Amino acid sequence: MNINDVVLDSIFFVNNGEIDLLTGTMAPDRFNQLVNRDITIANRNHSTLGVVSIKTNLHKFIGENANLEAAELISKFENELVKLSFEIKKIFRDSDCICRVSKLGFWVFLNGQQAITENWLSSRRTQEIPQYVEFGLCSWQEGESQSSWYQRIDQLHFDNKG
C-alpha cells in the first residue's frame, strides 16, 4: 500500500449527525436538510444558490511533507484540516453553511448571492490558504433537483486528482 492510501485510510472522519467531530463544521445530514429546504425556497423566489468545493490535494500535501513518517503525516494533515476550517470561516459569511463532506474537504453552501462567480471566489481567498487546497464553484440551476446538483458538485469535488 502506498503512502497516499495509508494516510487517506487513516484520516479521522466521524460526525454525530450535527457536526464533524474533527473540525466542528456541519455534518452532511444536517447540510443536506438545509440545502433541500433552501432549494424549495429558491424555486419559489428565483434565488441564486451555490456550493463552493474546498478540497485538499493529498498528493501535493504529502509531497510538501515527504520527510515525515505516515503517523506524523496523518496527524499533521488532520491539524491542517482544523486550521483550514477556521480559515474558511473567515472567508465566508456566518450565514454560509460549511460542511465537511469528505476526508479531504468541505462544501460551503451559499444562499442568496446575487452573483456567485469564480472571480468572487478568487477575491475572497486569503494568503492563509495553503497551495495544496483547491477551490471550485458549482451554481444551482433554477428547477434543478438536489440530487442532480449534487452529481455536478461531486464531479467537481471528487475528480480523483489526489
Side-chain angles (χ1 to χ4, degrees), residues 3 7 9 16 19 24 28 31 34-35 44 69 74 80 90 97 104-107 111 113-114 119 123 128 142 149 162:
I3 190 71
V7 173
D9 287 347
N16 65 4
I19 63 168
F31 183 85
L34 293 172
V35 170
R44 279 196 311 260
E69 297 293 323
I74 295 160
E80 290 297 314
K90 290 180 191 175
C97 301
L104 300 179
F106 305 87
W107 285 359
N111 182 350
Q113 296 278 344
Q114 289 296 46
N119 289 338
S123 70
E128 302 299 317
E142 192 168 337
W149 187 26

Side-chain angles (χ1 to χ4, degrees), residues 52-121:
V52 176
S53 164
I54 303 170
K55 63 182 176 175
T56 54
N57 183 313
L58 187 58
H59 182 70
K60 286 182 183 177
F61 175 83
I62 290 173
E64 290 181 14
N65 296 280
N67 59 325
L68 299 177
E69 297 293 323
E72 293 172 304
L73 275 171
I74 295 160
S75 178
K76 185 170 182 176
F77 186 81
E78 289 175 347
N79 286 333
E80 290 297 314
L81 283 173
V82 172
K83 286 184 206 174
L84 180 58
S85 72
F86 283 103
E87 292 304 323
I88 293 168
K89 290 174 186 173
K90 290 180 191 175
I91 295 172
F92 295 96
R93 303 173 301 184
D94 288 341
S95 60
D96 297 331
C97 301
I98 302 168
C99 172
R100 183 164 174 223
V101 73
S102 69
K103 286 185 175 186
L104 300 179
F106 305 87
W107 285 359
V108 181
F109 178 55
L110 309 173
N111 182 350
Q113 296 278 344
Q114 289 296 46
I116 302 169
T117 66
E118 290 291 338
N119 289 338
W120 175 87
L121 183 59

